[in-house]
Amino acid sequence: MQYLNALTGRLGVPSFMSRDYFNHQLGREKSGNPLVKKFLVETLNLILIKNISNEADGIRDDIDWVGKTSLMTPWIRIECKERFRRYRDFLVETKSSVERSTPGWIYKSKADLLAYVWVYTKSANGKIMHMRELQKWWKTVDFSRRYQRILAGNPPKNPVYHTENYAVAFTDVPDHVFYSFEPEINEPKDDIPAEPIETKSNISSFRPNV
């Protein structure tokens, strides 16, 4: 079992471990990145889109963006995770606070879609999943035995609380969970990651009584 102060890669993909990276990344997710906005608009054929990650409804329901495909259709609610390099797996948050034993987004998010978006300096791409289908599938998975448990401290230097996560390979997720299934997405040859990536992980000494 590993306890990390930031998110991790696996399956031979480099990790992105700087001590301040986790908080910095969360700040980027809340900023309404125009490249992410463009990716969502084009992929989902949206005519309207709004970032609500800092609004009360967005914070409460784990929703970052809302969009419409037409004026007559309901708002599509999107939870968005931004990454600055392509990874072969993603983190499923099972506890938003280990100390308070509060459920993570996999149990409480009211989003319709989960977007994992890889952000580069000039472009963005990623994978989009149906949140309800992902949540249903997760209930059938023996995740504590199957996947690596990762605790992310917030903030990394002097954590006030820790989130509990499990690193899940995209290839483990059933095809029907994906909004549009793409077996592999390659990094653009003419673009580079939006942030420098470090490969040295920071192991936390935190050991929860759980």
Side-chain angles (χ1 to χ4, degrees):
M1 185 182 298
Q2 288 187 327
Y3 298 86
L4 305 181
N5 275 340
L7 309 185
T8 186
R10 59 195 286 268
L11 299 176
V13 181
S15 300
F16 49 91
M17 302 296 171
S18 66
R19 292 186 64 87
D20 294 320
Y21 187 86
F22 186 71
N23 272 359
H24 176 61
Q25 178 171 265
L26 291 179
R28 290 289 295 269
E29 287 181 354
K30 302 300 183 185
S31 67
N33 190 312
L35 292 176
V36 174
K37 179 179 179 180
K38 182 175 185 291
F39 167 76
L40 294 174
V41 167
E42 293 178 351
T43 305
L44 301 174
N45 296 315
L46 302 176
I47 64 168
L48 295 174
I49 188 169
K50 180 182 179 182
N51 185 282
I52 65 166
S53 57
N54 290 313
E55 297 183 13
D57 290 347
I59 295 171
R60 183 189 65 237
D61 298 333
D62 285 300
I63 298 169
D64 297 307
W65 299 85
V66 291
K68 278 179 174 282
T69 56
S70 77
L71 295 178
M72 303 301 293
T73 57
W75 288 97
I76 299 171
R77 300 164 297 182
I78 307 163
E79 181 166 356
C80 188
K81 306 297 182 183
E82 293 182 24
R83 302 292 179 259
F84 304 117
R85 177 164 291 184
R86 183 181 61 82
Y87 288 84
R88 297 192 184 110
D89 62 359
F90 66 105
L91 288 190
V92 173
E93 182 192 81
T94 52
K95 291 182 181 179
S96 59
S97 171
V98 173
E99 289 79 358
R100 297 183 179 181
S101 194
T102 52
W105 60 255
I106 190 62
Y107 301 117
K108 67 185 182 70
S109 177
K110 294 184 179 179
D112 300 302
L113 299 173
L114 171 66
Y116 250 77
V117 184
W118 295 289
V119 183
Y120 304 92
T121 56
K122 298 183 291 185
S123 63
N125 60 34
K127 293 179 182 288
I128 297 177
M129 290 173 270
H130 295 284
M131 180 64 83
R132 294 292 175 270
E133 295 302 319
L134 179 64
Q135 291 169 330
K136 289 178 184 177
W137 172 71
W138 189 251
K139 291 179 181 179
T140 71
V141 177
D142 187 5
F143 58 86
S144 62
R145 293 178 178 270
R146 185 172 181 180
Y147 298 116
Q148 179 186 16
R149 184 182 186 228
I150 296 171
L151 300 185
N154 297 275
K157 288 185 176 179
N158 297 293
V160 177
Y161 68 96
H162 297 76
T163 63
E164 178 186 73
N165 310 269
Y166 287 86
V168 180
F170 283 108
T171 53
D172 286 356
V173 180
D175 291 2
H176 74 272
V177 173
F178 290 92
Y179 173 84
S180 58
F181 179 67
E182 297 179 56
E184 189 66 39
I185 294 179
N186 296 318
E187 295 192 34
K189 295 180 180 179
D190 61 342
D191 209 344
I192 59 175
E195 297 289 341
I197 307 298
E198 292 186 7
T199 58
K200 183 179 180 181
S201 63
N202 296 302
I203 305 298
S204 169
S205 61
F206 174 73
R207 296 292 186 271
N209 295 319
V210 293

